[in-house]
Structure formats: structure tokens, C-alpha cells
Amino acid sequence: MAEKSKHSSRQKSVIDVSDFENFLEEYTSRLEAQVARESRFYRMMADAMPQIVWTADVNGKADYFNKRWFEFTGLTEAESLHSGWLSIVHAEDLKRVNNAWSTSIKNGSPYEIEARLKERQKGSYKWFLVRALPGSEGGKKIIKWFGTCTDIDEHKKNQANKDEFIAITSHELKTPLTSIKAFNQVVEMQLKKIHHSDALDITEKMSLQIDRLNDLINDLLDISLLDTGKLKLNKTRFDFDEFVFSAVENMRLINPNYHLKIQGRSGKKIFADRSRLEQVIINLVSNAIKYSPDSKKVLINLDKDSSNVYAHIKDYGIGIAKADQAKIFERFYRVERPLPEAASGFGLGLYIANEVLSKQKGRLWVESNLGKGSTFSFTLPAIKGS
Ligand code: ADP
């Protein structure tokens, strides 16, 4: 009896194994079919997108492109894979593209760059925003890169047209304005001779408005110089404290009702573009005045550390909300709020100041409390041993 039961149990286990093998085979093939279907589905989805979609392996070698890529570039798959895609990047953008891609692969950081890619039929280039994000397993080890190329050619052309428009109009506006200023001065002189104080009052007001217009046009001219990389710096060696004193003294003459107080000393020399730096100080102090309708006090604090000089410009004005503090350094950004009547502007001053400073290895930042005031600070490298 015991023998019989042993025999039947062995027979049963043989049947089980073969059943299991069949099941496994069927399960595997169903799974493979499902994976193939899903993969086809995702490819169809990627092909349906107006954007170029691509993937790359962990070493940055491209291993997939959607249909849009082949339509645009006219390359074959073999010509595109690995590093083949680099062949259609504009020669002037190639180094930038390569460097940024290598950095992203090395650090696992998101990739984002604007570059020109060659269109097959036309043989001409179009601007694209190329982006890629790393895909990781368990949020740690990167296993793949998922990328897109978005056509931004229209946007780039509009931007170039706008830049050209700004450059031309500001240049064209400058000439008549200079003549108006000169005529106004002549009229002023004539009126002084005949002691016509009422009319002199008007020419003085005109002169102020002409200066304001002149400042706005100069900002626009600087923007176009920055955009085209033509803003040249004329660096010399000078004493930082003496420079700030003389710049602030000029501001005092224009704003006699304000108390502009300088505290502290850096005792250092710097190597910088003096007139561009004066423009930065003028901008920060004018803003401190412009955005402080109820206070007449501006404090300018000078300081240093082992290798840098610092200037902190503190006002007791309307202040800036946290959300706006990073944005005010962007071009054309102005905080939306009811402003004092004199607070006109284009939202360019801080952008220009920031660019001018970073071109000289400096930095500009703000600390502010809404309703209480702001402190704008900048730093520049000091001359070693000065
Ligand atoms: P503009 O003064 O011509 O608008 P800026 O680039 O100099 O351009 O400044 C950008 C914006 O930052 C201003 O519109 C203003 O809202 C804000 N801002 C700048 N300086 C100050 C300040 N000292 N206090 C309060 N707000 C300021």
C-alpha cells in the first residue's frame, strides 16, 4: 500500500513539471507579445508627436529616434545612431553642444541647449531647443536618457527681429534727441539773458525729461550691445572707495534733497571698467531713490573680504516681494504694482547691471522686505595685495 502511494505521487509530480513548463512557455510568449505590443505602442506615440524624440544609453550614445527626426534630417538610422547625429549640428554650435552633453552625462544633470540642426530638403539650418532628462532605476543608477528637440526657429527669428528693431530705433532716436537737448540749452541761455524766469522753469523741466528719455535710449542701446556680444569693457586699475565716493557725489548733485550716506571702507583697488561700473552704482542708487517715495535716506556700505570688495546699497522704500526678487534681474521685468509717479522705466537697469558685473567676475543680489526697504549688493574681485 505504501509502495503504491509512493508510485502514484511520483507520477503526479512528473505531470506537474511538464504542465508547468507548458505554462511557462505560454506565459513567456504572451509576455513577449505584450512587451512587443507596448513597445510598438510607445513608438507609435513618439512618432505621432510633432517634436523630435530620442533616447540615448547611459554613456550618451543615441539608440533611438522617432519618425520626425528622420523626416527632418533625412538621415538613416545607421547614420543617426551613436554619435552620428552630431553631423547635422551647425559647426558654430558643435562645441557647445558636445561640451554640454558630456557634462550632463558625467554629472547626470538635465541637458538643455539651443542649437541649429540641418534640414535635409533645404540644406538650411533651423533652431531647436534640445533637452534630455536621465531615467534612473530606483531613483539612483541612470539607465537611459530621454530627449526631445523642439523647433524654436520662429521664436528665434522673432527675437532677432526684435533685437534688430531695438538696435535701429534706439540708434535713430539718439540723434534727434541730442539735437533737441542742444536746442534746449541754447533757448535756456537766451532766456537767462532776458531773465525770463517763467519760461526758464519750462526749459528746466524739459531738460529733465530729455535726460530721462536719454537714459531709456541708452539702456536700449546697451541691451543690443549685450545681445550681439559687442559690449566691450575698458578695464583700468583704480581705488574702489574713491570711485564710489565720486560716483555718489555726482548723484548728490542731481538729488540734493536726498541723504546719500557712505559707511565703511574697502581700502582695496580693483581692475574694472570704471564708466560701466559707475553706470551700475547710478542705477542702484537711482532705484533706491525712485522706489522710496516716503524716505529720503539711502545708505551705501563698503566692505571687503580676503579677495573681494563689496558695496551694499540700502533703502527704506517699498521693498520687493520674495517671488519677484529673482525675476527683477531678467530683462524687461517690472514688478506689477501701483508705482510712484516718477518710477517709470523699461525694467532693463538691473539686467544690464547684472550682466556688466558678471562680465567682470562680479555678482549682484538683493535682500528685501516688502514695505520695509531693499538692500542691493554687489561684489567684484579686488586686486591681490592692493
Ligand atoms: P526699472 O527701474 O526701469 O523698472 P530695473 O531693472 O532697474 O528697471 O528694476 C526692475 C524692477 O525691480 C523695477 O521695476 C522695480 O519693480 C524693482 N526694483 C528695483 N530696485 C528697487 C528698489 N530699490 N526697491 C524696490 N523695487 C525695486
Side-chain angles (χ1 to χ4, degrees), residues 216-276:
L216 293 177
I217 293 172
N218 281 342
D219 277 357
L220 287 177
L221 277 169
D222 284 348
I223 283 286
S224 48
L225 288 181
L226 280 167
D227 285 344
T228 47
K230 286 186 192 150
L231 187 110
K232 297 277 175 283
L233 294 172
N234 177 19
K235 289 190 182 182
T236 54
R237 190 188 155 109
F238 56 91
D239 187 289
F240 183 64
D241 301 344
E242 175 271 316
F243 155 75
V244 176
F245 271 77
S246 102
V248 171
E249 191 48 42
N250 289 342
M251 296 295 293
R252 282 196 190 109
L253 295 177
I254 312 168
N255 304 282
N257 297 332
Y258 283 81
H259 183 47
L260 311 180
K261 189 169 179 208
I262 302 180
Q263 290 176 326
R265 302 286 181 269
S266 77
K268 298 262 181 193
K269 287 195 168 50
I270 58 169
F271 183 63
D273 185 320
R274 198 178 164 114
S275 77
R276 286 287 171 194

Short mmCIF file of all heavy atoms in Angstrom, two decimals, residues 216-276:
data_model
loop_
_atom_site.label_atom_id
_atom_site.label_comp_id
_atom_site.label_asym_id
_atom_site.label_seq_id
_atom_site.Cartn_x
_atom_site.Cartn_y
_atom_site.Cartn_z
N LEU A 216 16.71 106.14 -21.02
CA LEU A 216 15.97 104.98 -21.55
C LEU A 216 16.59 104.51 -22.87
O LEU A 216 16.78 103.30 -23.09
CB LEU A 216 14.50 105.34 -21.79
CG LEU A 216 13.65 105.63 -20.56
CD1 LEU A 216 12.23 106.03 -20.94
CD2 LEU A 216 13.59 104.41 -19.65
N ILE A 217 16.94 105.46 -23.73
CA ILE A 217 17.54 105.10 -25.02
C ILE A 217 18.90 104.43 -24.80
O ILE A 217 19.24 103.44 -25.46
CB ILE A 217 17.65 106.33 -25.94
CG1 ILE A 217 16.24 106.80 -26.32
CG2 ILE A 217 18.43 106.01 -27.20
CD1 ILE A 217 16.19 108.10 -27.06
N ASN A 218 19.66 104.96 -23.85
CA ASN A 218 20.97 104.34 -23.56
C ASN A 218 20.82 102.90 -23.08
O ASN A 218 21.60 102.03 -23.46
CB ASN A 218 21.71 105.15 -22.50
CG ASN A 218 22.36 106.37 -23.11
OD1 ASN A 218 22.53 106.43 -24.33
ND2 ASN A 218 22.68 107.35 -22.30
N ASP A 219 19.77 102.65 -22.25
CA ASP A 219 19.51 101.28 -21.81
C ASP A 219 19.24 100.37 -23.01
O ASP A 219 19.75 99.25 -23.10
CB ASP A 219 18.30 101.22 -20.87
CG ASP A 219 18.69 101.57 -19.44
OD1 ASP A 219 19.89 101.79 -19.20
OD2 ASP A 219 17.79 101.63 -18.58
N LEU A 220 18.41 100.87 -23.94
CA LEU A 220 18.09 100.06 -25.12
C LEU A 220 19.33 99.80 -25.96
O LEU A 220 19.53 98.70 -26.48
CB LEU A 220 17.03 100.77 -25.97
CG LEU A 220 15.62 100.77 -25.39
CD1 LEU A 220 14.68 101.55 -26.28
CD2 LEU A 220 15.10 99.34 -25.25
N LEU A 221 20.18 100.82 -26.08
CA LEU A 221 21.42 100.64 -26.85
C LEU A 221 22.31 99.59 -26.18
O LEU A 221 22.91 98.73 -26.85
CB LEU A 221 22.18 101.96 -26.95
CG LEU A 221 21.71 102.90 -28.06
CD1 LEU A 221 22.35 104.27 -27.89
CD2 LEU A 221 22.04 102.34 -29.44
N ASP A 222 22.40 99.64 -24.84
CA ASP A 222 23.21 98.66 -24.11
C ASP A 222 22.69 97.25 -24.29
O ASP A 222 23.46 96.31 -24.43
CB ASP A 222 23.23 98.99 -22.61
CG ASP A 222 24.13 100.16 -22.32
OD1 ASP A 222 24.90 100.54 -23.22
OD2 ASP A 222 24.07 100.70 -21.21
N ILE A 223 21.36 97.11 -24.28
CA ILE A 223 20.76 95.78 -24.47
C ILE A 223 21.19 95.21 -25.81
O ILE A 223 21.58 94.05 -25.91
CB ILE A 223 19.21 95.90 -24.42
CG1 ILE A 223 18.77 96.03 -23.00
CG2 ILE A 223 18.53 94.72 -25.07
CD1 ILE A 223 18.86 94.76 -22.20
N SER A 224 21.16 96.04 -26.86
CA SER A 224 21.53 95.49 -28.16
C SER A 224 23.03 95.19 -28.21
O SER A 224 23.44 94.23 -28.86
CB SER A 224 21.07 96.35 -29.34
OG SER A 224 21.40 97.67 -29.13
N LEU A 225 23.85 95.96 -27.49
CA LEU A 225 25.28 95.64 -27.43
C LEU A 225 25.49 94.30 -26.71
O LEU A 225 26.29 93.47 -27.14
CB LEU A 225 26.05 96.73 -26.69
CG LEU A 225 26.24 98.06 -27.40
CD1 LEU A 225 27.03 99.01 -26.53
CD2 LEU A 225 26.96 97.86 -28.74
N LEU A 226 24.74 94.09 -25.63
CA LEU A 226 24.87 92.84 -24.87
C LEU A 226 24.42 91.65 -25.71
O LEU A 226 25.07 90.61 -25.74
CB LEU A 226 24.03 92.91 -23.59
CG LEU A 226 24.64 93.68 -22.42
CD1 LEU A 226 23.59 93.94 -21.35
CD2 LEU A 226 25.81 92.91 -21.82
N ASP A 227 23.26 91.84 -26.41
CA ASP A 227 22.72 90.74 -27.21
C ASP A 227 23.64 90.31 -28.32
O ASP A 227 23.70 89.14 -28.69
CB ASP A 227 21.37 91.16 -27.83
CG ASP A 227 20.28 91.15 -26.79
OD1 ASP A 227 20.50 90.56 -25.72
OD2 ASP A 227 19.23 91.75 -27.04
N THR A 228 24.35 91.29 -28.89
CA THR A 228 25.20 90.94 -30.03
C THR A 228 26.64 90.69 -29.57
O THR A 228 27.52 90.53 -30.40
CB THR A 228 25.18 92.09 -31.08
OG1 THR A 228 25.39 93.33 -30.38
CG2 THR A 228 23.87 92.15 -31.82
N GLY A 229 26.85 90.67 -28.28
CA GLY A 229 28.19 90.39 -27.74
C GLY A 229 29.17 91.52 -28.04
O GLY A 229 30.38 91.32 -28.03
N LYS A 230 28.61 92.74 -28.33
CA LYS A 230 29.51 93.85 -28.71
C LYS A 230 29.82 94.78 -27.54
O LYS A 230 30.43 95.82 -27.73
CB LYS A 230 28.87 94.66 -29.84
CG LYS A 230 28.91 93.94 -31.18
CD LYS A 230 28.41 94.83 -32.28
CE LYS A 230 28.18 94.04 -33.55
NZ LYS A 230 27.10 94.59 -34.36
N LEU A 231 29.32 94.43 -26.34
CA LEU A 231 29.60 95.31 -25.20
C LEU A 231 31.05 95.08 -24.77
O LEU A 231 31.39 94.02 -24.24
CB LEU A 231 28.65 95.02 -24.04
CG LEU A 231 28.80 96.02 -22.92
CD1 LEU A 231 27.57 96.91 -22.86
CD2 LEU A 231 29.00 95.36 -21.59
N LYS A 232 31.88 96.06 -25.09
CA LYS A 232 33.32 95.92 -24.79
C LYS A 232 33.63 96.60 -23.46
O LYS A 232 33.08 97.64 -23.15
CB LYS A 232 34.15 96.57 -25.90
CG LYS A 232 33.96 95.91 -27.26
CD LYS A 232 34.84 94.67 -27.39
CE LYS A 232 34.59 93.92 -28.69
NZ LYS A 232 33.37 93.09 -28.72
N LEU A 233 34.52 95.98 -22.70
CA LEU A 233 34.90 96.57 -21.42
C LEU A 233 36.27 97.21 -21.54
O LEU A 233 37.17 96.63 -22.16
CB LEU A 233 34.92 95.49 -20.34
CG LEU A 233 33.56 94.87 -20.01
CD1 LEU A 233 33.73 93.70 -19.09
CD2 LEU A 233 32.63 95.91 -19.41
N ASN A 234 36.38 98.39 -20.95
CA ASN A 234 37.66 99.08 -20.99
C ASN A 234 38.19 99.11 -19.55
O ASN A 234 37.89 100.03 -18.79
CB ASN A 234 37.41 100.49 -21.55
CG ASN A 234 38.65 101.31 -21.58
OD1 ASN A 234 39.75 100.77 -21.51
ND2 ASN A 234 38.48 102.62 -21.63
N LYS A 235 38.97 98.09 -19.18
CA LYS A 235 39.34 97.93 -17.77
C LYS A 235 40.60 98.71 -17.41
O LYS A 235 41.57 98.71 -18.16
CB LYS A 235 39.59 96.46 -17.48
CG LYS A 235 38.32 95.62 -17.47
CD LYS A 235 38.70 94.28 -16.94
CE LYS A 235 37.57 93.31 -16.92
NZ LYS A 235 37.99 92.05 -16.34
N THR A 236 40.52 99.35 -16.24
CA THR A 236 41.71 100.02 -15.71
C THR A 236 41.80 99.69 -14.22
O THR A 236 40.85 99.15 -13.64
CB THR A 236 41.64 101.54 -15.88
OG1 THR A 236 40.42 101.99 -15.31
CG2 THR A 236 41.71 101.97 -17.32
N ARG A 237 42.93 100.08 -13.62
CA ARG A 237 43.13 99.82 -12.20
C ARG A 237 42.77 101.09 -11.42
O ARG A 237 43.23 102.17 -11.77
CB ARG A 237 44.63 99.51 -12.04
CG ARG A 237 45.08 99.00 -10.73
CD ARG A 237 46.60 98.96 -10.79
NE ARG A 237 47.09 99.06 -9.45
CZ ARG A 237 47.65 98.05 -8.81
NH1 ARG A 237 47.86 96.92 -9.42
NH2 ARG A 237 48.05 98.18 -7.58
N PHE A 238 41.89 100.99 -10.42
CA PHE A 238 41.56 102.19 -9.64
C PHE A 238 41.10 101.83 -8.23
O PHE A 238 40.78 100.67 -7.94
CB PHE A 238 40.50 103.05 -10.36
CG PHE A 238 39.22 102.33 -10.69
CD1 PHE A 238 38.16 102.32 -9.82
CD2 PHE A 238 39.09 101.65 -11.91
CE1 PHE A 238 36.98 101.65 -10.13
CE2 PHE A 238 37.92 100.98 -12.23
CZ PHE A 238 36.86 100.98 -11.34
N ASP A 239 41.09 102.86 -7.38
CA ASP A 239 40.72 102.70 -5.98
C ASP A 239 39.20 102.60 -5.86
O ASP A 239 38.48 103.50 -6.28
CB ASP A 239 41.25 103.94 -5.22
CG ASP A 239 41.07 103.78 -3.75
OD1 ASP A 239 39.91 103.82 -3.26
OD2 ASP A 239 42.09 103.62 -3.07
N PHE A 240 38.72 101.51 -5.27
CA PHE A 240 37.28 101.26 -5.22
C PHE A 240 36.55 102.32 -4.38
O PHE A 240 35.54 102.87 -4.83
CB PHE A 240 37.02 99.85 -4.65
CG PHE A 240 35.57 99.47 -4.62
CD1 PHE A 240 34.84 99.35 -5.80
CD2 PHE A 240 34.92 99.23 -3.42
CE1 PHE A 240 33.50 98.99 -5.78
CE2 PHE A 240 33.57 98.87 -3.39
CZ PHE A 240 32.86 98.76 -4.57
N ASP A 241 37.07 102.64 -3.20
CA ASP A 241 36.38 103.58 -2.31
C ASP A 241 36.30 104.97 -2.94
O ASP A 241 35.23 105.59 -2.96
CB ASP A 241 37.11 103.69 -0.96
CG ASP A 241 37.19 102.34 -0.27
OD1 ASP A 241 36.44 101.43 -0.67
OD2 ASP A 241 38.01 102.19 0.64
N GLU A 242 37.44 105.41 -3.49
CA GLU A 242 37.48 106.74 -4.11
C GLU A 242 36.47 106.80 -5.27
O GLU A 242 35.76 107.79 -5.44
CB GLU A 242 38.92 107.01 -4.59
CG GLU A 242 39.13 108.29 -5.37
CD GLU A 242 38.91 108.10 -6.87
OE1 GLU A 242 39.38 107.08 -7.45
OE2 GLU A 242 38.24 108.97 -7.44
N PHE A 243 36.38 105.71 -6.01
CA PHE A 243 35.46 105.64 -7.15
C PHE A 243 34.00 105.76 -6.68
O PHE A 243 33.22 106.54 -7.22
CB PHE A 243 35.68 104.32 -7.91
CG PHE A 243 34.49 103.86 -8.67
CD1 PHE A 243 34.14 104.48 -9.86
CD2 PHE A 243 33.69 102.82 -8.20
CE1 PHE A 243 33.01 104.07 -10.55
CE2 PHE A 243 32.57 102.42 -8.88
CZ PHE A 243 32.23 103.05 -10.06
N VAL A 244 33.64 105.01 -5.62
CA VAL A 244 32.26 105.06 -5.11
C VAL A 244 31.96 106.47 -4.58
O VAL A 244 30.89 107.02 -4.86
CB VAL A 244 32.01 103.98 -4.02
CG1 VAL A 244 30.62 104.12 -3.44
CG2 VAL A 244 32.19 102.58 -4.59
N PHE A 245 32.93 107.07 -3.88
CA PHE A 245 32.73 108.42 -3.35
C PHE A 245 32.42 109.40 -4.48
O PHE A 245 31.49 110.20 -4.38
CB PHE A 245 33.99 108.89 -2.60
CG PHE A 245 33.95 108.51 -1.16
CD1 PHE A 245 34.23 107.21 -0.76
CD2 PHE A 245 33.64 109.44 -0.19
CE1 PHE A 245 34.19 106.85 0.57
CE2 PHE A 245 33.59 109.08 1.15
CZ PHE A 245 33.87 107.78 1.53
N SER A 246 33.18 109.32 -5.58
CA SER A 246 32.97 110.30 -6.64
C SER A 246 31.65 110.02 -7.38
O SER A 246 30.93 110.96 -7.74
CB SER A 246 34.18 110.35 -7.57
OG SER A 246 33.94 109.68 -8.74
N ALA A 247 31.30 108.74 -7.57
CA ALA A 247 30.02 108.42 -8.24
C ALA A 247 28.85 108.91 -7.40
O ALA A 247 27.89 109.51 -7.92
CB ALA A 247 29.92 106.92 -8.48
N VAL A 248 28.93 108.70 -6.07
CA VAL A 248 27.82 109.10 -5.19
C VAL A 248 27.74 110.62 -5.10
O VAL A 248 26.66 111.20 -5.03
CB VAL A 248 27.96 108.43 -3.80
CG1 VAL A 248 26.95 108.99 -2.81
CG2 VAL A 248 27.79 106.92 -3.94
N GLU A 249 28.92 111.30 -5.15
CA GLU A 249 28.94 112.76 -5.11
C GLU A 249 28.14 113.32 -6.31
O GLU A 249 27.34 114.24 -6.15
CB GLU A 249 30.39 113.26 -5.15
CG GLU A 249 30.57 114.74 -4.87
CD GLU A 249 29.82 115.21 -3.62
OE1 GLU A 249 29.84 114.48 -2.61
OE2 GLU A 249 29.18 116.29 -3.68
N ASN A 250 28.33 112.71 -7.48
CA ASN A 250 27.57 113.15 -8.66
C ASN A 250 26.07 112.94 -8.45
O ASN A 250 25.25 113.77 -8.86
CB ASN A 250 28.00 112.36 -9.91
CG ASN A 250 29.39 112.75 -10.34
OD1 ASN A 250 29.89 113.80 -9.95
ND2 ASN A 250 30.04 111.90 -11.13
N MET A 251 25.72 111.82 -7.81
CA MET A 251 24.30 111.54 -7.54
C MET A 251 23.72 112.57 -6.57
O MET A 251 22.56 112.93 -6.66
CB MET A 251 24.12 110.14 -6.94
CG MET A 251 24.52 109.00 -7.84
SD MET A 251 23.48 108.88 -9.30
CE MET A 251 21.92 108.42 -8.62
N ARG A 252 24.58 113.02 -5.63
CA ARG A 252 24.12 114.02 -4.64
C ARG A 252 23.76 115.33 -5.34
O ARG A 252 22.80 116.00 -4.98
CB ARG A 252 25.21 114.30 -3.61
CG ARG A 252 25.30 113.22 -2.57
CD ARG A 252 26.10 113.71 -1.37
NE ARG A 252 26.37 112.62 -0.49
CZ ARG A 252 27.55 112.04 -0.30
NH1 ARG A 252 28.62 112.50 -0.94
NH2 ARG A 252 27.69 111.03 0.54
N LEU A 253 24.58 115.69 -6.35
CA LEU A 253 24.33 116.95 -7.07
C LEU A 253 22.99 116.90 -7.79
O LEU A 253 22.26 117.88 -7.83
CB LEU A 253 25.45 117.20 -8.08
CG LEU A 253 26.84 117.45 -7.49
CD1 LEU A 253 27.87 117.61 -8.60
CD2 LEU A 253 26.80 118.72 -6.61
N ILE A 254 22.66 115.73 -8.35
CA ILE A 254 21.39 115.60 -9.08
C ILE A 254 20.21 115.47 -8.11
O ILE A 254 19.09 115.81 -8.43
CB ILE A 254 21.42 114.38 -10.02
CG1 ILE A 254 22.71 114.36 -10.85
CG2 ILE A 254 20.22 114.35 -10.96
CD1 ILE A 254 22.96 113.06 -11.59
N ASN A 255 20.47 114.88 -6.93
CA ASN A 255 19.37 114.65 -5.96
C ASN A 255 19.66 115.36 -4.64
O ASN A 255 19.89 114.71 -3.62
CB ASN A 255 19.22 113.14 -5.70
CG ASN A 255 19.00 112.37 -6.96
OD1 ASN A 255 17.91 112.34 -7.50
ND2 ASN A 255 20.06 111.72 -7.46
N PRO A 256 19.66 116.71 -4.67
CA PRO A 256 20.09 117.44 -3.47
C PRO A 256 19.19 117.21 -2.24
O PRO A 256 19.62 117.40 -1.12
CB PRO A 256 20.04 118.91 -3.91
CG PRO A 256 19.18 118.94 -5.11
CD PRO A 256 19.25 117.61 -5.75
N ASN A 257 17.96 116.74 -2.48
CA ASN A 257 17.05 116.56 -1.34
C ASN A 257 17.24 115.23 -0.63
O ASN A 257 16.58 114.96 0.37
CB ASN A 257 15.59 116.63 -1.79
CG ASN A 257 15.29 117.98 -2.36
OD1 ASN A 257 15.93 118.96 -1.96
ND2 ASN A 257 14.36 118.04 -3.30
N TYR A 258 18.11 114.40 -1.17
CA TYR A 258 18.28 113.06 -0.58
C TYR A 258 19.54 112.97 0.26
O TYR A 258 20.54 113.62 -0.04
CB TYR A 258 18.30 111.99 -1.69
CG TYR A 258 16.91 111.72 -2.20
CD1 TYR A 258 16.32 112.56 -3.12
CD2 TYR A 258 16.18 110.64 -1.71
CE1 TYR A 258 15.02 112.35 -3.57
CE2 TYR A 258 14.88 110.41 -2.15
CZ TYR A 258 14.31 111.27 -3.08
OH TYR A 258 13.04 111.05 -3.52
N HIS A 259 19.47 112.14 1.28
CA HIS A 259 20.62 111.95 2.15
C HIS A 259 21.32 110.64 1.74
O HIS A 259 20.87 109.54 2.09
CB HIS A 259 20.12 111.90 3.60
CG HIS A 259 21.21 111.79 4.58
ND1 HIS A 259 22.35 112.58 4.54
CD2 HIS A 259 21.37 110.99 5.66
CE1 HIS A 259 23.15 112.24 5.52
NE2 HIS A 259 22.58 111.28 6.22
N LEU A 260 22.39 110.75 0.96
CA LEU A 260 23.11 109.56 0.49
C LEU A 260 24.35 109.40 1.37
O LEU A 260 25.31 110.17 1.25
CB LEU A 260 23.53 109.71 -0.98
CG LEU A 260 22.45 110.17 -1.97
CD1 LEU A 260 23.01 110.28 -3.38
CD2 LEU A 260 21.28 109.19 -1.97
N LYS A 261 24.33 108.42 2.24
CA LYS A 261 25.40 108.31 3.24
C LYS A 261 26.30 107.10 2.95
O LYS A 261 25.79 105.98 2.75
CB LYS A 261 24.76 108.16 4.63
CG LYS A 261 25.77 108.25 5.74
CD LYS A 261 25.10 108.36 7.08
CE LYS A 261 26.21 108.43 8.12
NZ LYS A 261 25.83 107.93 9.39
N ILE A 262 27.62 107.33 2.94
CA ILE A 262 28.55 106.22 2.71
C ILE A 262 29.16 105.80 4.05
O ILE A 262 29.63 106.65 4.82
CB ILE A 262 29.67 106.62 1.74
CG1 ILE A 262 29.06 107.06 0.39
CG2 ILE A 262 30.63 105.45 1.51
CD1 ILE A 262 30.05 107.47 -0.65
N GLN A 263 29.14 104.50 4.32
CA GLN A 263 29.74 103.98 5.55
C GLN A 263 30.77 102.92 5.18
O GLN A 263 30.62 102.23 4.19
CB GLN A 263 28.68 103.30 6.42
CG GLN A 263 27.69 104.27 7.03
CD GLN A 263 26.60 103.54 7.79
OE1 GLN A 263 26.20 102.45 7.40
NE2 GLN A 263 26.14 104.13 8.86
N GLY A 264 31.79 102.76 6.02
CA GLY A 264 32.78 101.69 5.82
C GLY A 264 33.73 101.99 4.68
O GLY A 264 33.52 102.93 3.88
N ARG A 265 34.78 101.21 4.59
CA ARG A 265 35.78 101.35 3.51
C ARG A 265 36.24 99.96 3.11
O ARG A 265 36.30 99.07 3.97
CB ARG A 265 37.02 102.12 3.98
CG ARG A 265 36.77 103.52 4.51
CD ARG A 265 36.46 104.51 3.38
NE ARG A 265 36.25 105.84 3.93
CZ ARG A 265 35.05 106.30 4.29
NH1 ARG A 265 33.98 105.57 4.15
NH2 ARG A 265 34.94 107.53 4.78
N SER A 266 36.62 99.80 1.84
CA SER A 266 37.20 98.50 1.46
C SER A 266 38.73 98.59 1.53
O SER A 266 39.41 97.61 1.77
CB SER A 266 36.77 98.11 0.05
OG SER A 266 37.49 98.85 -0.91
N GLY A 267 39.26 99.80 1.26
CA GLY A 267 40.70 100.01 1.25
C GLY A 267 41.40 99.23 0.14
O GLY A 267 42.60 98.97 0.21
N LYS A 268 40.63 98.85 -0.89
CA LYS A 268 41.21 97.99 -1.96
C LYS A 268 41.14 98.68 -3.33
O LYS A 268 40.31 99.57 -3.56
CB LYS A 268 40.40 96.69 -2.06
CG LYS A 268 40.44 95.84 -0.81
CD LYS A 268 41.46 94.77 -0.99
CE LYS A 268 41.52 93.88 0.22
NZ LYS A 268 42.68 93.04 0.22
N LYS A 269 41.98 98.16 -4.22
CA LYS A 269 41.93 98.60 -5.62
C LYS A 269 41.27 97.50 -6.44
O LYS A 269 41.37 96.31 -6.09
CB LYS A 269 43.34 98.86 -6.15
CG LYS A 269 43.96 100.11 -5.60
CD LYS A 269 45.18 100.48 -6.43
CE LYS A 269 45.69 101.88 -6.14
NZ LYS A 269 45.90 102.19 -4.74
N ILE A 270 40.63 97.91 -7.54
CA ILE A 270 40.05 96.89 -8.43
C ILE A 270 40.51 97.14 -9.86
O ILE A 270 40.98 98.25 -10.19
CB ILE A 270 38.51 96.86 -8.37
CG1 ILE A 270 37.92 98.23 -8.73
CG2 ILE A 270 38.02 96.42 -7.00
CD1 ILE A 270 36.42 98.20 -8.93
N PHE A 271 40.34 96.11 -10.72
CA PHE A 271 40.65 96.23 -12.13
C PHE A 271 39.32 96.02 -12.87
O PHE A 271 38.83 94.89 -12.97
CB PHE A 271 41.67 95.15 -12.52
CG PHE A 271 42.12 95.23 -13.94
CD1 PHE A 271 42.81 96.33 -14.40
CD2 PHE A 271 41.88 94.18 -14.82
CE1 PHE A 271 43.23 96.40 -15.73
CE2 PHE A 271 42.31 94.24 -16.15
CZ PHE A 271 42.98 95.37 -16.59
N ALA A 272 38.72 97.17 -13.31
CA ALA A 272 37.37 97.07 -13.88
C ALA A 272 37.12 98.21 -14.86
O ALA A 272 37.96 99.11 -14.99
CB ALA A 272 36.35 97.11 -12.76
N ASP A 273 35.96 98.16 -15.54
CA ASP A 273 35.57 99.24 -16.43
C ASP A 273 34.89 100.32 -15.59
O ASP A 273 33.75 100.15 -15.14
CB ASP A 273 34.62 98.71 -17.51
CG ASP A 273 34.28 99.77 -18.53
OD1 ASP A 273 34.09 100.93 -18.15
OD2 ASP A 273 34.21 99.43 -19.73
N ARG A 274 35.59 101.41 -15.37
CA ARG A 274 35.13 102.45 -14.45
C ARG A 274 33.79 103.05 -14.86
O ARG A 274 32.89 103.21 -14.04
CB ARG A 274 36.21 103.56 -14.37
CG ARG A 274 36.05 104.43 -13.18
CD ARG A 274 37.14 105.47 -13.09
NE ARG A 274 36.71 106.47 -12.16
CZ ARG A 274 37.28 106.73 -10.99
NH1 ARG A 274 38.37 106.08 -10.64
NH2 ARG A 274 36.81 107.63 -10.18
N SER A 275 33.62 103.36 -16.16
CA SER A 275 32.38 104.05 -16.53
C SER A 275 31.20 103.07 -16.50
O SER A 275 30.08 103.45 -16.14
CB SER A 275 32.52 104.76 -17.86
OG SER A 275 32.43 103.86 -18.89
N ARG A 276 31.43 101.80 -16.85
CA ARG A 276 30.35 100.81 -16.76
C ARG A 276 29.97 100.57 -15.30
O ARG A 276 28.81 100.36 -14.98
CB ARG A 276 30.77 99.48 -17.40
CG ARG A 276 30.79 99.53 -18.90
CD ARG A 276 29.38 99.54 -19.42
NE ARG A 276 29.32 99.79 -20.85
CZ ARG A 276 28.20 100.11 -21.48
NH1 ARG A 276 27.07 100.25 -20.83
NH2 ARG A 276 28.20 100.30 -22.77
#
